[in-house]
């Protein structure tokens, strides 16, 4: 490369940066050109996810039919390594797209693979999918998420961040059953929390809930019906309390983090 070309390269990069930040108007809203491309990329991603869901729906849709769960469990169990990957993929989609209740996937994994391997598959799926969402939002979709998330939720996380106790808050929110963890997975990347810290805090906090679900589910297969029902009822009661007292929990965390 000649000296003139080397000199021109920084100038071209500066020109590209300026063009990326040129204002453009979309439906009456002004935003940077770069953000418009990010919007387009995010929309394309969700379109791809929709296509994937449509393609695998014949397999997943059977879950909601009479006897569908038993048939699907048998098919996955007989599929060997492919079944392992299928459960992992369903868990991935559960967090990224959130069209399947997380408890359904956890129960299925526990019934197919037992409490420990089932829990590991679910946990691995949580790690992979939460890392994917974090990078997606952090690099591509921040403008979209900020536009879609109510200001009060974003304001709470910004306050948690400013308090210096965001890691503790994330751990507590992912630990409590009934919390909208999939929503939090899209919110946290908008803060300054590093990916590694988020993955450790959120996915370590998920472990107790995952193990409880897979252990109780395996009990249904092994004949520990009464024990499993009690565990499910207790877990459901705690989750309901988490949902009912969500606002109080958030206020308590705000009060805690505001203390110097």
């Amino acid at each position: 490369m000649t000296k003139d070309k080397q000199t021109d390269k920084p100038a071209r990069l500066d020109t590209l940066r300026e063009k990326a930040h040129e204002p453009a108007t979309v439906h009456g809203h002004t935003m940077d050109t770069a953000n418009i491309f990010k919007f387009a990329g995010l929309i394309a991603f969700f379109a791809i996810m929709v296509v994937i869901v449509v393609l695998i729906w014949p397999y997943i849709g059977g879950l909601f039919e009479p006897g569908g769960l038993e048939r699907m469990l048998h098919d996955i169990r007989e599929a060997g390594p492919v079944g392992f990957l299928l459960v992992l993929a369903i868990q991935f989609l559960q967090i990224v797209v959130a069209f399947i209740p997380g408890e359904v996937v956890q129960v299925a994994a526990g019934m197919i693979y037992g409490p420990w391997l089932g829990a590991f598959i679910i946990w691995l799926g949580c790690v992979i999918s939460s890392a994917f969402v974090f990078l997606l939002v952090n690099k591509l979709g921040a403008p979209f998420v900020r536009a879609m998330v109510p200001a009060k939720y974003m304001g709470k996380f910004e306050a948690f961040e400013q308090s210096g106790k965001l890691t503790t808050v994330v751990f507590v929110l992912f630990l409590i059953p009934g919390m909208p963890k999939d929503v939090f997975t899209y919110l946290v990347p908008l803060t300054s929390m590093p990916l590694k810290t988020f993955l450790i805090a959120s996915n370590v906090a998920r472990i107790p809930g995952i193990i409880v679900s897979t252990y109780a589910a395996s009990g249904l297969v092994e004949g520990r019906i009464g024990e499993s029902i009690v565990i499910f009822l207790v877990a459901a009661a705690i989750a309901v309390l988490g949902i009912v007292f969500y606002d109080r929990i958030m206020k308590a965390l705000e009060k805690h983090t505001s203390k110097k």
Side-chain angles (χ1 to χ4, degrees):
M1 185 181 290
T2 64
K3 185 175 181 180
D4 289 340
K5 289 183 179 180
Q6 290 176 341
T7 304
D8 289 342
K9 187 175 180 180
R12 289 198 300 271
L13 290 174
D14 290 338
T15 301
L16 289 173
R17 291 191 187 98
E18 290 176 2
K19 288 183 178 180
H21 292 287
E22 287 179 355
T25 303
V26 179
H27 293 292
H29 298 282
T30 302
M31 61 179 67
D32 291 347
T33 302
N35 285 343
I36 293 177
F37 281 107
K38 289 179 180 180
F39 271 118
L42 196 65
I43 292 172
F45 160 74
F46 279 109
I48 293 171
M49 289 295 103
V50 169
V51 171
I52 292 174
V53 170
V54 171
L55 290 176
I56 69 171
W57 185 254
Y59 303 98
I60 299 173
L63 281 171
F64 307 99
E65 298 174 357
L69 179 60
E70 291 78 7
R71 288 195 301 273
M72 187 172 186
L73 294 179
H74 177 269
D75 292 342
I76 294 175
R77 192 179 292 114
E78 295 298 317
V82 175
F84 181 100
L85 293 175
L86 179 59
V87 174
L88 193 64
I90 295 173
Q91 177 59 31
F92 176 86
L93 288 174
Q94 187 275 316
I95 291 181
V96 174
V97 186
F99 73 100
I100 305 173
E103 292 74 15
V104 172
V105 187
Q106 293 174 16
V107 168
M111 295 179 73
I112 297 170
Y113 297 108
W116 307 116
L117 181 56
F120 174 74
I121 296 172
I122 295 298
W123 183 81
L124 182 61
C126 289
V127 173
I128 295 172
S129 54
S130 55
F132 178 83
V133 170
F134 190 100
L135 293 172
L136 177 74
V137 173
N138 193 264
K139 301 297 183 182
L140 183 66
F144 177 81
V145 176
R146 286 186 181 276
M148 295 297 292
V149 173
K152 64 176 182 178
Y153 293 124
M154 200 60 244
K156 289 181 187 297
F157 274 82
E158 289 173 350
F160 295 147
E161 181 180 14
Q162 293 171 6
S163 72
K165 300 177 181 178
L166 180 60
T167 302
T168 301
V169 170
V170 169
F171 180 85
V172 171
L173 291 177
F174 277 81
L175 179 66
I176 300 174
M179 294 287 100
K181 297 177 180 61
D182 297 334
V183 175
F184 298 151
T185 302
Y186 278 88
L187 279 174
V188 177
L190 300 179
T191 69
S192 61
M193 177 177 283
L195 172 61
K196 181 179 178 181
T197 303
F198 171 66
L199 291 181
I200 293 173
S202 62
N203 289 296
V204 170
R206 289 180 187 270
I207 292 175
I210 293 173
I211 291 178
V212 167
S213 294
T214 54
Y215 178 82
S218 68
L220 297 176
V221 177
E222 296 171 2
R224 295 180 279 107
I225 307 297
E227 179 186 31
S228 295
I229 291 175
V230 170
I231 293 174
F232 279 129
L233 288 176
V234 172
I238 296 174
V240 169
L241 290 175
I243 295 171
V244 172
F245 294 104
Y246 170 78
D247 289 334
R248 292 189 183 183
I249 292 171
M250 295 299 286
K251 288 179 180 178
L253 288 172
E254 285 183 85
K255 185 177 180 180
H256 172 72
T257 55
S258 64
K259 293 178 180 179
K260 300 296 183 181

